[in-house]
């Protein structure tokens, strides 16, 4: 991503100019191509976007806590399927790999004091007209952005403007809306140096893969998240000095810190960077709390599975938090994240920064039925994915909530 930006500057061309050239070339091709009539018909499926339409209704959710409520049965069909959205990653396309039950699709999130509307792509694109939105996080952040793209393509198809060699950091451009959507990939939010599968985490240094790019792109909205990578063994540094480790009980000479401690430090560092970033002035930062996993009978490599077919009720959730160690830790992490978001909000007021919380942890804790499980790849792979989410599936509510936060 950095090379993409620097090469653009070196050639004396802005991203906007490059995109204009691409778009102009495309329409010249359409105009003179023998099959131009077919292409034109496809383009005209979606109405031309106009920046002069009525603005979306604001304060729609002002008196409602979006994150307190329950899942209720909903007979409505999903907003998209693997037939209508060709961009679903194969590892999240659960039906492609043999999942038969569909009951997990027919639930909707019902806040206590309001109705959460389904995602409206036209409204979202109105808000994002001439804007840049960055998802800053790992593969779960990518899971949400892939859901968002499936929802948006009901209104407008994007141009694939950039992707890195591993298809982690990417940029999409929606020309009708002049909207740039990107994912800035980071495992930890802070600097991580890999050494044989184990990382040295510098808890007081931001990962410059996203830190550099969020300032260079002058992002308008950023969605910040990252936690699940902290549940592996890593070494922790502050001020360049080794202070301890995570998940390292065999290292008797080192202090073993909790995941909550490391995540708290990482979010402090990320928020401090954003608040001190001059190019990020007026950026709206939405911090998403931890997306819980639902492994039972083991973990990734030890036979863990997630075979439940419906949401937990309140009693089952209480039992889960009382008896399941990882779920209990994830809830502790969520609480610390909410504290740091509150601190960032207070600090941001003096820096023209706006912070919001997307508190999805409890919403998703009760959805053990929404993961790919064994339906994420060829059955020769002997471990289950109980971390990411099927598409379509419960993860689509994150984008319903995102739009609600933007309308608030």
């Amino acid at each position: 991503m950095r090379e993409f930006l620097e090469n653009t500057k070196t050639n004396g061309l802005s991203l906007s100019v490059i995109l204009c050239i691409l778009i102009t070339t495309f329409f010249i091709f359409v105009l003179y191509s023998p099959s131009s009539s077919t292409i034109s018909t496809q383009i005209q499926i979606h109405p031309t976007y106009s920046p002069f339409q009525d603005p979306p209704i604001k304060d729609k959710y002002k008196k409602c806590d979006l994150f307190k409520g329950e899942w209720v049965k909903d007979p409505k069909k999903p907003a998209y399927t693997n037939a209508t959205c060709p961009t679903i990653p194969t590892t999240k396309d659960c039906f492609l790999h043999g999942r038969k039950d569909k009951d997990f699709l027919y639930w909707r999130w019902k806040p206590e004091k309001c109705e959460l509307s389904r995602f409206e792509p036209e409204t979202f694109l109105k808000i994002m007209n001439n804007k840049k939105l960055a998802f800053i996080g790992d593969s779960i952040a990518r899971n949400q952005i892939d859901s968002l793209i499936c929802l948006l393509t009901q209104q407008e198809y994007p141009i694939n403007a950039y992707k890195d060699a591993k298809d982690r950091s990417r940029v999409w451009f929606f020309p009708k809306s002049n909207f740039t959507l990107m994912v800035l990939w980071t495992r930890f939010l802070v600097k991580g140096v890999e050494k044989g599968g184990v990382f040295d985490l510098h808890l007081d240094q931001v990962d410059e893969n996203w830190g550099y790019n969020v300032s260079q792109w002058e992002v308008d909205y950023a969605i910040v998240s990252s936690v699940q990578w902290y549940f592996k063994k890593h070494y922790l540094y502050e001020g360049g000095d080794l202070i301890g480790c995570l998940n390292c009980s065999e290292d008797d000479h080192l202090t073993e810190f909790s995941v909550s401690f490391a995540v708290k430090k990482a979010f402090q560092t990320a928020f401090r960077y954003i608040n001190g970033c001059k190019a990020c002035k007026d950026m709206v930062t939405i911090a998403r709390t931890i997306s819980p996993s639902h492994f039972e009978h083991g973990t990734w490599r030890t036979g863990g599975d997630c075979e439940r077919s419906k949401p937990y009720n309140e009693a089952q959730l209480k039992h889960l938090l009382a008896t399941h160690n990882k779920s209990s830790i994830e809830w502790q992490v969520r609480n610390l994240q909410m504290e740091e978001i509150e601190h960032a909000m207070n600090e941001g007021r003096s820096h023209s920064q706006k912070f919001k919380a997307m508190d999805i942890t409890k919403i998703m804790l009760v959805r053990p039925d929404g993961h790919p499980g064994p339906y994420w790849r060829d059955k020769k792979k002997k471990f289950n994915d109980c971390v990411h989410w099927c598409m379509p599936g419960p993860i689509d509510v994150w984008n319903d909530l995102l739009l609600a936060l933007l309308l608030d």
Side-chain angles (χ1 to χ4, degrees), residues 192-203:
V193 180
E194 186 173 9
K195 295 180 178 178
V198 178
F199 284 83
D200 292 342
L201 304 186
H202 296 263
L203 298 176

Side-chain angles (χ1 to χ4, degrees), residues 204-244:
D204 53 355
Q205 297 181 43
V206 75
D207 177 357
E208 61 177 24
N209 178 58
W210 73 265
Y212 176 83
N213 284 287
V214 80
S215 62
Q216 293 298 304
W217 282 84
E218 297 183 356
V219 168
D220 299 288
Y221 298 91
I223 300 174
V224 178
S225 62
S226 181
V227 174
Q228 288 294 341
W229 278 86
Y230 282 88
F231 287 93
K232 300 181 178 183
K233 179 179 178 179
H234 304 298
Y235 295 98
L236 306 180
Y237 288 77
E238 281 191 317
D241 296 325
L242 177 65
I243 62 169

Side-chain angles (χ1 to χ4, degrees), residues 365-405:
L365 266 173
V366 296
R367 293 306 308 269
D369 55 329
H371 298 287
Y375 306 110
W376 70 281
R377 194 174 281 185
D378 191 303
K379 289 293 183 68
K380 293 177 183 178
K381 296 289 184 181
K382 295 183 179 179
F383 55 91
N384 299 306
D385 183 353
C386 303
V387 173
H388 301 95
W389 303 91
C390 290
M391 290 176 55
I395 193 172
D396 296 318
V397 79
W398 296 8
N399 291 311
D400 298 340
L401 292 165
L402 172 59
L403 180 54
L405 288 173

Side-chain angles (χ1 to χ4, degrees), residues 318-331:
K318 289 180 180 178
H319 179 74
L320 176 73
L321 293 174
T323 61
H324 193 274
N325 185 54
K326 188 166 189 285
S327 295
S328 177
I329 294 172
E330 288 173 332
W331 187 247

Side-chain angles (χ1 to χ4, degrees), residues 344-359:
M345 287 179 183
N346 295 331
E347 179 70 18
R349 291 188 184 100
S350 62
H351 297 278
S352 298
Q353 300 285 5
K354 300 180 182 68
F355 287 84
K356 289 177 176 285
M358 184 185 288
D359 184 15

Side-chain angles (χ1 to χ4, degrees), residues 53-292:
Q53 299 178 43
D54 293 333
I57 299 171
K58 294 185 177 181
D59 299 328
K60 182 177 180 180
Y61 301 103
K62 189 172 183 179
K63 297 181 179 180
C64 170
D65 186 338
L66 293 165
F67 308 105
K68 287 185 178 180
E70 62 179 340
W71 289 93
V72 297
K73 292 291 289 185
D74 185 359
K76 291 183 180 178
K77 293 181 179 180
Y80 62 90
T81 67
N82 57 7
T84 63
C85 182
T87 60
I88 297 178
T90 57
T91 55
K92 313 302 182 300
D93 189 348
C94 300
F95 298 117
L96 177 68
H97 299 292
R99 183 164 183 167
K100 301 298 183 184
D101 69 294
K102 296 183 179 180
D103 186 63
F104 75 100
L105 298 176
Y106 296 97
W107 295 87
R108 66 180 174 88
W109 177 249
K110 171 66 176 69
E112 287 180 354
K113 297 182 180 180
C114 66
E115 294 290 331
L116 176 64
S117 298
R118 276 198 173 194
F119 186 87
E120 300 166 351
E122 183 178 5
T123 300
F124 186 89
L125 288 170
K126 286 179 186 179
I127 295 171
M128 291 296 159
N129 185 43
N130 299 319
K131 303 293 185 184
K132 300 183 184 75
L133 168 63
F135 282 74
I136 300 169
D138 56 18
S139 57
I140 303 176
R142 178 62 181 271
N143 206 171
Q144 182 181 358
I145 208 171
D146 287 327
S147 164
L148 179 60
I149 289 173
C150 281
L151 294 166
L152 290 176
T153 51
Q154 298 172 74
Q155 185 72 21
E156 180 180 354
Y157 282 86
I159 294 169
N160 293 313
Y162 170 81
K163 70 175 179 178
D164 64 14
K166 294 185 178 180
D167 192 17
R168 286 176 171 169
S169 291
R170 286 197 65 167
V171 180
W172 297 264
F173 180 67
F174 292 77
K176 294 179 185 177
S177 312
N178 192 27
F179 165 46
T180 302
L181 175 65
M182 67 189 79
V183 54
L184 303 177
W185 199 86
T186 176
R187 294 178 177 89
F188 307 103
L189 295 179
V190 295
K191 180 180 178 180
V193 180
E194 186 173 9
K195 295 180 178 178
V198 178
F199 284 83
D200 292 342
L201 304 186
H202 296 263
L203 298 176
D204 53 355
Q205 297 181 43
V206 75
D207 177 357
E208 61 177 24
N209 178 58
W210 73 265
Y212 176 83
N213 284 287
V214 80
S215 62
Q216 293 298 304
W217 282 84
E218 297 183 356
V219 168
D220 299 288
Y221 298 91
I223 300 174
V224 178
S225 62
S226 181
V227 174
Q228 288 294 341
W229 278 86
Y230 282 88
F231 287 93
K232 300 181 178 183
K233 179 179 178 179
H234 304 298
Y235 295 98
L236 306 180
Y237 288 77
E238 281 191 317
D241 296 325
L242 177 65
I243 62 169
C245 54
L246 291 175
N247 308 298
C248 57
S249 55
E250 72 279 8
D251 290 337
D252 295 333
H253 63 291
L254 289 176
T255 301
E256 183 173 8
F257 287 96
S258 68
V259 170
S260 298
F261 168 84
V263 171
K264 180 181 176 72
K265 290 279 189 179
F267 272 75
Q268 286 176 346
T269 298
F271 294 155
R272 188 183 306 117
Y273 176 83
I274 291 171
N275 272 323
C277 171
K278 293 181 180 179
C280 307
K281 185 179 180 181
D282 297 324
M283 182 175 77
V284 176
T285 301
I286 298 174
R288 177 178 58 73
T289 59
I290 182 173
S291 173

